[in-house]
Amino acid sequence: PSIEKVVTPTPTLDSTTSIFDAIEYLIINDCEHAFVQHEGEMAGIISASQLLENHKSQDMLALQVRDYMEPLLTIKANELRARAAEIMSEHGVEFIAVTNQNGVLLGVASLGNLNS
């Protein structure tokens, strides 16, 4: 099965957004992930659960999402789920950005939802 069946819509946050504001935004908008844009370019991916897990006791207003984002790896929507899992495993990440054939970002697939 292709990966496009498990893509979730994903907002974009600026790399200078505080961890606190990023978590608040993701919770309010019922999103698990966000793309991170740095100086006009897509630079990475963050997840709410990852941010919450890593920053339980730290000052979330002083930290920025760029300090904790995963690299932006992409895959075309018509690729197989197994290929996406392989790429994520090779790079040690839990998320991959999914694009259409023209390279436009459609959303994110996570390692967890590839198996569902």
Side-chain angles (χ1 to χ4, degrees):
S2 71
I3 194 168
E4 68 187 323
K5 304 293 186 208
V6 295
V7 173
T8 56
T10 308
T12 301
L13 297 173
D14 188 82
S15 64
T16 60
T17 304
S18 73
I19 298 297
F20 179 85
D21 288 343
I23 291 170
E24 181 180 57
Y25 178 88
L26 291 171
I27 290 170
I28 288 171
N29 291 286
D30 195 27
C31 297
E32 172 60 24
H33 306 91
F35 292 120
V36 179
Q37 189 172 34
H38 182 70
E39 297 178 357
E41 299 290 323
M42 288 300 173
I45 298 174
I46 58 165
S47 77
S49 59
Q50 183 181 40
L51 293 176
L52 286 168
E53 182 180 312
N54 291 330
H55 304 291
K56 290 177 184 170
S57 62
Q58 296 184 34
D59 180 4
M60 291 191 282
L61 287 171
L63 301 170
Q64 298 179 342
V65 296
R66 70 175 168 208
D67 299 321
Y68 297 94
M69 66 184 177
E70 289 190 353
L72 184 67
L73 301 174
T74 62
I75 191 169
K76 300 278 189 220
N78 63 346
E79 291 278 350
L80 296 177
R81 292 181 191 185
R83 179 65 184 133
E86 183 181 306
I87 292 170
M88 287 186 271
S89 177
E90 286 172 4
H91 294 275
V93 299
E94 295 182 33
F95 315 103
I96 191 163
V98 180
T99 67
N100 67 14
Q101 293 305 311
N102 297 322
V104 175
L105 292 170
L106 301 174
V108 169
S110 69
L111 205 48
N113 68 14
L114 288 178
N115 300 319
S116 54

